[in-house]
Structures are given as structure tokens and as C-alpha cells.
């Protein structure tokens, strides 16, 4: 392990030293969220050192100007940024007139804990100010899972060596910026700053996108456990409002502020009602009280963990790692709202714009499908269904017509909002994962109805795209797909990326198969789809023709599918021969050198073989793994999990474990020295897959559920649960046995190492 800063613990993320160099990294790692909003672990009190302030509200973004030197036709108009939302956590503290600022104060006994079981963030420390006053501080913060629009903080101050005055000024502030604002601009327009009795509100609107948010706060105090009140002085500025309270305290007293805050936003309520709803919510939260909110938080998370938890025996760091991943995924997306999705950095940073990528379909769906109910995965699919018309517009911008759809590589609302040409125009493989996700969902849930009701429109519009984007090569006597970038972004404008062509071919066949099936079995839906999407019978024939004659790059010499045409012209030198000082290559090499090299950023051919493992025998899989793994640099966090799963399948336990470690504690141990920018949320789903599909060997092809459980030698045992078509199954694997327990009231058929077992309700099978 590179970094032992985080204390190993099964259920908590803990740090017990105050290191100013690590403040921004810890702000990411200790982030909290509840699917509706998220908050980096910024300090409540003032901090003049380095910090990335970050509060985020799901779905709220800003279409920023893009900085592109050389504009190209077809570029999107803007780059979407997840917006830093008004600050709700802030509390200015003065001790006998001196500001409490951890950057200038002597800090002792610093302790911070993110309790994942109960979903709260705690921080305590002793501060000795330059006036000699020592105070003991403890804060506890949560974003309520049950009352999604509510955040609450309990902040206690104890004077240790003096009696005197403590000034506490909780505030809310809309004068916030994005660190990644191109021109140092503000993105919020303030409409109203208002106080009503002991509550304060700021109504602000995002520029251009016009999202309106009412941020509110309400405060209560206690002294030594008894509720107290104090006169407040209101400091109302143009963009912020603070309530200043002064307390005379004695040495050893404990003064506690309970700060309740809320965001109400215009995606959910009419603008004119926002402040009133915010008021009602704050009053209700105060009535419930901090302790009860904390109890409710524990209850909500207990339910989440009931199915989502993975237990690993004999390796605390691995246990902490996997729980951290599961925890963060649940903090990011809870699945009730089909307008929201999972940004690669979730609510933990600004990078990647907080937008939706193919990561959701390729990596996240299996996690949400198995650990929640099917509605959650369905909402993720519906997100894309609702954006189909925008995907059609997007394809039109690139000259691809007749209702063909190209889903954006990066999006907030269905429009493409990323403008590196090699990504926007060329990384068209993302279209394939939209269809793959539908296939995966239907296979797992057996909810076939989804296809006639919604999925078919997406599938056929994407089939239309492939038919037009491919062209017939007279030379090859095949259809080819030219000028693409595969998942491996370390090569651009290549011809016939195997992954893209294979996926396109599969998409086309899948479209043919399903439209024919729907025609027969769901004639009413068939009629509706044909009419709505103006589908002609002849198109289906075309899909078939292109699929049948799709070119797949291959070399006889090595009997291998090639990453793309001409791949073997490259000098093939294994990554192991690169000096450590030259890695990661994306930080050490010039871009042209990367493009010319054989190094693969992330699973590409192997990504395809992972999706369609049932199409290849083990020998073929192994040959490709042995060729591509040594030249893959895994400089995308999405890569090691795929290699780990394949290595497990191929009985390469050391490789599987090595790759697993790279994904599981990527952020906790800050492998890539970039955790300060935010966590790698979408790759966390890959870590979950590395255990459940990798070591656990779960597969779900042909509507069947099968397992081939293995276990790393480093662990004593592990177990996980899945929700399979409404039945909860528990899988346990130790070094000597595997147990499958059906915790539900319906029987479930599974295969284990190719043998069929029927798991009767509430019964266990030991293997
Ligand atoms: C990867 C993409 C991914 C994106 C967001 C990039 O580094 O290459 O495949 O979609 O990160 O996670």
C-alpha cells in the first residue's frame, strides 16, 4: 500500500492527525451525500489554508464556455459543470475575539471519522489560539437519507482553560465559485437574501440554466445539555447572511450549536414556493431534532447495508476498501429520481462536470441492479430513454440522419457537453453500452417488458446509427467503422477498433432479434414503435446485412483479434519494462509519444470480451488476456476491475488480486495522487464487480444465474448478498467451502461450476 494515512477500520474511515498537506484529499475522502445532494468534508469554521469548497445539488449544472483553441464544426456549445452550490455548513467562530482558523491555530488531538454504517461525519480536536485560549471542538454532520433536503450539524465548543466570550455565527453563502470556472466567474445570481425570525434564506438562480435554489438555515443552542437562546445580530450582505450570537461561558462548559439547513430547488417545486417549502422543512427538521435525525439516519443506512454489504474476513483494509466503495455509491445515487445519474466524481469534486458518462451503463448498472430493487436500475435506463430525442439531434449535428441516435459521451440533460473532438465525435462505442445495459437489465431481472415499452426505441435508433456510421469497404468486402476512438483513449482516429465494431455488430443483431420478437409477441407495441419512430421494414434487413458483414480486425500470425487496424505495426514492449520514473505515461510523456506507443489506457478488446464472455471459450480469452494485459497501463480507474474479473475467471489469482487492490483502495490510498479533486465514484462499482463477478464468479447470461466462486489466498472468507428477481441470496465463500443461502420465500435456480441447484426458500446449499 502506498499510503497508510487512513486508519484501517472495518466500518469507519478515520484520520487522527492534522496534516495541512492532506486537507484537500481528506475533503474528498470524507465527503457525505444522500443522492439528492453532497458535501465535501470542508471544515465548518473558517480555514485560510488550501481547501476545495464543495457543496453540490443533484442535477444542477452550468453550461460553461469552452476553451478550445481551434473550433470544429459539430462541437457542442458548452461544457457542463456541476455547480458548486451555496455554502450551508459555514460557522464563523471567535474565542474572546480571536477567529478560530485551523490554519493559524495550534491543533491537537485531531480526529475525523466518517462512519459508514450510520452515515455521519465527526471531527474533534483541541485548538490553542494565539491568545492562549484552548477549546475542545466536536462537530457531527449528516445529510439525511430520510429527509433528503435536510443537512444537520451539531457543533460543540468547550473552553478548556478560560472563562469568557464565544461568538458563533452560523451563515449561508451564495457568493461561491467553481474552482474550475474558466474566467473566474460567479455562476449564481442572487435573487433574495432574507431573514424570518430565527431562519435565514437565500434565493439564488444559476446563470443561463435558470435553476432556482432556496438555501435555508435555522439554529438552536444548548449549554451543558439545556436549550438556551441568545440575542442575535444579523449580518446581511449582498450574497450571504450570518446570525451572530455571543455567549459568556465558564471554563468546562459545553456550548452546542445545532444548525439545520436545506436546499429546495426548482426541479422539484414551483419557484414561488421554494422559500416557503424551505421554511416548512427547516421547522420540521428542528422539531424532529438532531438526535432523532441521527437515529433515522442509522435506520435508513441499516436497510441499505442489509443487502449491499460485502463482508471480508481476515483483511481489515480490504473490508474497509469495499465498504467505502459501496458507501460512496449509495451516497451518490439512490435511484428514486430518473432525472439524476451518477457522475464519475459524484458529489465529491468538480472534475468531469458531475455529468453522466458511459460509466453508468458499463459499470454501475450491475451494482445497483443487484443491491437494490429493479426499479433503481430501470430508472437509470429510463434516464437515457427520456433523452433519446436529444441523442437523435446529436447524431444529426454530425450528419447522421433518419432518426439515428448518438448518445453523448458526457451529458447533463441529454445534450453532448464535452468538446474534445476525439471524444465527442469518435468515442462512439458509448452508444453500444446503452444497448448492452438494456440487455444486461433484462437478462438479470427478466423484465422483458422493458424492451417493448421503452428499450426498443433506443435499440433501433442506435442500430440506425451504426448502419450509417459504418461504410462498405470494397477492398475488404466488409463493413468497416473508420475514424474512431475506443475505450483506449491513448489512440485516436483509428480504423476498426475491435471493441467498437464487435459491439456495433452485436447491437445490430440484438435489434433485429428484438424487433422481430416484438412484432410477434407484442403487436400493439410494435405498431406504436413503428409509427413513433417511422421504422421501415427494409431497415431491419439493412441492420442484418451490416451485422453479417461487419469487419473485425484479426491477425493470423498470432491468432488474435486486434485492437484496431495496424496495431501490430507498433513496437510491443511490456509495461513492466517501462521505468517507474516514466509512469504514469499521461503525466510523463508527450501526447504524440503516447499515441504512437502500444500502451493501452484501459480495457478495450478485453472490455468487449468481458461483456460477451459467453461468446468466447477460455482459451481465446486467455490468449487475448496474455497479449493485452502486459501492455495495459490502467491509467483509467475503470480498467483494473475488468482485468481483475477476467484474471479470476482464468485462474490467475495473483493477477486478479493485484488488479483488485488497484481498484479497491484507489482513493483511500490515493494511488494516483489526485484524490483531492474528488473520488472515482463510477469505478467503485467496478470494485464491487471485482468481488461479486470476479472472485464470486457471478454471471448472468441467457437469463441464468451462475457462480464459480473463488477466494484470494489473502482472505479467510467473504460473503455478499444480491437481490435477484426479488429474492435475496447470500453467497459465502471461505478457503474450504461455498454456501448459497436463499433468504427469501421463493425458490431460485442457480448454477455453480456448471451444476444446477435449486435453492429452496430459507434454505442453504453448501458446496
Ligand atoms: C475514461 C473514460 C471514462 C471517463 C469518466 C476517462 O478517463 O477513459 O472511459 O468514461 O474517464 O470516468
Amino acid at each position: 500500500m502506498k499510503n497508510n494515512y487512513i486508519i484501517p477500520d472495518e466500518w469507519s474511515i478515520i484520520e487522527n492527525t492534522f496534516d495541512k498537506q492532506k486537507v484537500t484529499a481528506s475533503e474528498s475522502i470524507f465527503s457525505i451525500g444522500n443522492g439528492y445532494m453532497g458535501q465535501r468534508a470542508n471544515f465548518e469554521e473558517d480555514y485560510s489554508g488550501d481547501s476545495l469548497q464543495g457543496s453540490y445539488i443533484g442535477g444542477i449544472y452550468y453550461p460553461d464556455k469552452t476553451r478550445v483553441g481551434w473550433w470544429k464544426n459539430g462541437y457542442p456549445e458548452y461544457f457542463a459543470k456541476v455547480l458548486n452550490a451555496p455554502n450551508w455548513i459555514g460557522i464563523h467562530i471567535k474565542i474572546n475575539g480571536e477567529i478560530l482558523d485551523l490554519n493559524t491555530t495550534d491543533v491537537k488531538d485531531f480526529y475525523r471519522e466518517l462512519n459508514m454504517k450510520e452515515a455521519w461525519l465527526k471531527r474533534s480536536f483541541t485548538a490553542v489560539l494565539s491568545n492562549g485560549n484552548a477549546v475542545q471542538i466536536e462537530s457531527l454532520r449528516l445529510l439525511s437519507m430520510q429527509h433528503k433536503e435536510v443537512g444537520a450539524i451539531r457543533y460543540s465548543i468547550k473552553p478548556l482553560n478560560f472563562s469568557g466570550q464565544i461568538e458563533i455565527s452560523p451563515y449561508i453563502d451564495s457568493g461561491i465559485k467553481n474552482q474550475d470556472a474558466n474566467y473566474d466567474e460567479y455562476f449564481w445570481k442572487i435573487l433574495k437574501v432574507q431573514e424570518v425570525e430565527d431562519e435565514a434564506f437565500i434565493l439564488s438562480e444559476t446563470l443561463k440554466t435558470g435553476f432556482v435554489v432556496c438555501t435555508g438555515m435555522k439554529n438552536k443552542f444548548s449549554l451543558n445539555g439545556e436549550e438556551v437562546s441568545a440575542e442575535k445580530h444579523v449580518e446581511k450582505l449582498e450574497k450571504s447572511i450570518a446570525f451572530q450570537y455571543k455567549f459568556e461561558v465558564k471554563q468546562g462548559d459545553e456550548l452546542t450549536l445545532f444548525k439545520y439547513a436545506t436546499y429546495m430547488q426548482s426541479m422539484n417545486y414551483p419557484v414561488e414556493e421554494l422559500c416557503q417549502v424551505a421554511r416548512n422543512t427547516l421547522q420540521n427538521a428542528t422539531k424532529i431534532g438532531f438526535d432523532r435525525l441521527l437515529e433515522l439516519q442509522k435506520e435508513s443506512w441499516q436497510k441499505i447495508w442489509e443487502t449491499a454489504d460485502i463482508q471480508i474476513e481476515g483483511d481489515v483494509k480490504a473490508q474497509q476498501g469495499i465498504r467505502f466503495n459501496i458507501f460512496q455509491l449509495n451516497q451518490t445515487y439512490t435511484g428514486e429520481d430518473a432525472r439524476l445519474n451518477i457522475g464519475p466524481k459524484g458529489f465529491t469534486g468538480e472534475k468531469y462536470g458531475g455529468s453522466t458518462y458511459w460509466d453508468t451503463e458499463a459499470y454501475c448498472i450491475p451494482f445497483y441492479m443487484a443491491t437494490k430493487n429493479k426499479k433503481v436500475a430501470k430508472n437509470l435506463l429510463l434516464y437515457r430513454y427520456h433523452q433519446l430525442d436529444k441523442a437523435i439531434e446529436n447524431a444529426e449535428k454530425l450528419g447522421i440522419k433518419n432518426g439515428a441516435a448518438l448518445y453523448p459521451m458526457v451529458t447533463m440533460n441529454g445534450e453532448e457537453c464535452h468538446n474534445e473532438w476525439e471524444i465527442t465525435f469518435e468515442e462512439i462505442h458509448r452508444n453500444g453500452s446503452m444497448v448492452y445495459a438494456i440487455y444486461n437489465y433484462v437478462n438479470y431481472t427478466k423484465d422483458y417488458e422493458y424492451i417493448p415499452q421503452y428499450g426498443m426505441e433506443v435499440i433501433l435508433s442506435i442500430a440506425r446509427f451504426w448502419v450509417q456510421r459504418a461504410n462498405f469497404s470494397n477492398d475488404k468486402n466488409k463493413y468497416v467503422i473508420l475514424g474512431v476512438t475506443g475505450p483506449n483513449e491513448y489512440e485516436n482516429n483509428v480504423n476498426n477498433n475491435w471493441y467498437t465494431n464487435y459491439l456495433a455488430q452485436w447491437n445490430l443483431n440484438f435489434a433485429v432479434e428484438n424487433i422481430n420478437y416484438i412484432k410477434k409477441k407484442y403487436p400493439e407495441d410494435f405498431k406504436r414503435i413503428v409509427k413513433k419512430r417511422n421504422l421501415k421494414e427494409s431497415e431491419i434487413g439493412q441492420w442484418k446485412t451490416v451485422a453479417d458483414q461487419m469487419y473485425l480486425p484479426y491477425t493470423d500470425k498470432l491468432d488474435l483479434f486486434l485492437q484496431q487496424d495496424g496495431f501490430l505495426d507498433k513496437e510491443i514492449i511490456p509495461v513492466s519494462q517501462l521505468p517507474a520514473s516514466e509512469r504514469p505515461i499521461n503525466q510523463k510523456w508527450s501526447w504524440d509519444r503516447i499515441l504512437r506507443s502500444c500502451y493501452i489506457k484501459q480495457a478495450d478488446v478485453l472490455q468487449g470480451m468481458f461483456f460477451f464472455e459467453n461468446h468466447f471459450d477460455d482459451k481465446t480469452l486467455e490468449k487475448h488476456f496474455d497479449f493485452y494485459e502486459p501492455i495495459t497501463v490502467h491509467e483509467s480507474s475503470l480498467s483494473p476491475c475488468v482485468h481483475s474479473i477476467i484474471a479470476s475467471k482464468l485462474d490467475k489469482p495473483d493477477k486478479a488480486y493485484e488488479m483488485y487492490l488497484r481498484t479497491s483502495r484507489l482513493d483511500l490510498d490515493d494511488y494516483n495522487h489526485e484524490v483531492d479533486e474528488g473520488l472515482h465514484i463510477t469505478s467503485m462499482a467496478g470494485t464491487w464487480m471485482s468481488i461479486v463477478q470476479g472472485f464470486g464468479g457471478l454471471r448472468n447470461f441467457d437469463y441464468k444465474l451462475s457462480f464459480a466462486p473463488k477466494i484470494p489466498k489473502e482472505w479467510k472468507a467473504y460473503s455478499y448478498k444480491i437481490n435477484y428477481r426479488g429474492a435475496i441470496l447470500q453467497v459465502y465463500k471461505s478457503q474450504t467451502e461455498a454456501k448459497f443461502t436463499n433468504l427469501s420465500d421463493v425458490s431460485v435456480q442457480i448454477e455453480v461450476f456448471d451444476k444446477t441447484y435449486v435453492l429452496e426458500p430459507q434454505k442453504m446449499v453448501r458446496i
Side-chain angles (χ1 to χ4, degrees), residues 60 123 214 238 248 418 427 459 486 528 545 614 672 681:
I60 293 200
R123 191 168 53 104
C214 179
E238 195 195 330
E248 295 302 325
H418 192 34
E427 249 192 279
I459 301 167
R528 177 183 46 79
T545 308
N614 55 335
N672 295 345
I681 299 293

Side-chain angles (χ1 to χ4, degrees), residues 118-119 143-145 293-301:
E118 302 176 350
L143 283 176
S144 174
M145 219 6 133
L293 281 174
L294 193 59
E295 282 299 316
L296 292 172
Q297 184 78 339
K298 293 176 191 173
E299 288 168 19
S300 304
W301 276 86

Side-chain angles (χ1 to χ4, degrees), residues 344 352 357-359 409 427 487 489 601-602 635-636 638 682:
Y352 290 108
Y357 283 63
W358 71 300
D359 304 27
M409 184 67 182
E427 249 192 279
E489 292 172 341
K601 179 185 180 188
Q602 69 195 85
E635 288 177 12
S636 159
L638 298 175
T682 48

Side-chain angles (χ1 to χ4, degrees), residues 343-345 351-352 355-360 363 409-410 423 427 429 486-490 586 601-602 635-638 680 682-683:
K345 297 254 180 257
K351 208 181 161 196
Y352 290 108
S355 320
T356 307
Y357 283 63
W358 71 300
D359 304 27
T360 295
Y363 295 86
M409 184 67 182
V410 183
I423 290 180
E427 249 192 279
H429 68 80
N488 170 26
E489 292 172 341
Y490 287 178
N586 67 14
K601 179 185 180 188
Q602 69 195 85
E635 288 177 12
S636 159
S637 63
L638 298 175
H680 297 83
T682 48
S683 84

Side-chain angles (χ1 to χ4, degrees), residues 453-595:
Q453 278 174 14
Y454 307 103
M456 193 64 228
E457 288 178 57
V458 171
I459 301 167
L460 78 85
S461 308
I462 291 178
R464 284 172 160 171
F465 173 83
W466 293 124
V467 160
Q468 293 173 65
R469 186 60 172 74
N471 65 278
F472 190 75
S473 154
N474 285 325
D475 182 48
K476 292 192 163 68
N477 204 21
K478 291 264 183 197
Y479 282 91
V480 292
I481 304 183
L482 307 180
V484 303
T485 295
N488 170 26
E489 292 172 341
Y490 287 178
E491 290 239 41
N492 305 136
N493 208 250
V494 301
N495 293 337
N496 297 310
N497 168 257
W498 180 85
Y499 172 77
T500 307
N501 289 22
Y502 194 81
L503 200 53
Q505 180 184 49
W506 171 83
N507 276 197
L508 289 163
N509 283 326
F510 190 67
V512 174
E513 188 188 304
N514 282 285
I515 197 74
N516 289 336
Y517 188 71
I518 290 171
K519 188 176 177 183
K520 234 192 307 170
K521 300 274 178 183
Y522 300 86
E524 286 308 311
D525 288 304
F526 179 77
K527 260 190 258 161
R528 177 183 46 79
I529 294 166
V530 166
K531 187 154 174 252
K532 186 166 170 200
R533 296 292 159 192
N534 195 16
L535 180 69
K536 298 190 189 58
E537 199 79 20
S538 60
E539 287 185 70
I540 303 169
Q542 242 179 338
W543 302 343
K544 177 118 187 50
T545 308
V546 177
D548 285 350
Q549 296 182 61
M550 181 63 75
Y551 167 76
L552 296 167
Y554 167 81
T555 167
D556 278 336
K557 243 189 260 165
L558 302 173
D559 182 25
L560 279 180
F561 289 117
L562 284 183
Q563 166 94 13
Q564 75 239 6
D565 281 351
F567 191 77
L568 287 185
D569 290 339
K570 288 174 181 268
E571 216 180 340
I572 307 279
I573 305 169
V575 181
S576 57
Q577 288 181 28
L578 282 180
S581 59
E582 294 193 16
R583 299 194 52 199
I585 59 171
N586 67 14
Q587 284 170 27
K588 302 291 165 72
W589 283 12
S590 70
W591 190 240
D592 75 296
R593 188 174 173 197
I594 291 177
L595 295 179

Side-chain angles (χ1 to χ4, degrees), residues 647-664:
S648 277
K649 157 97 184 152
L650 295 174
D651 278 325
K652 297 178 188 287
D654 292 343
K655 192 76 203 172
Y657 194 64
E658 178 201 328
M659 289 289 116
Y660 168 77
L661 287 182
R662 276 184 77 153
T663 157
S664 102

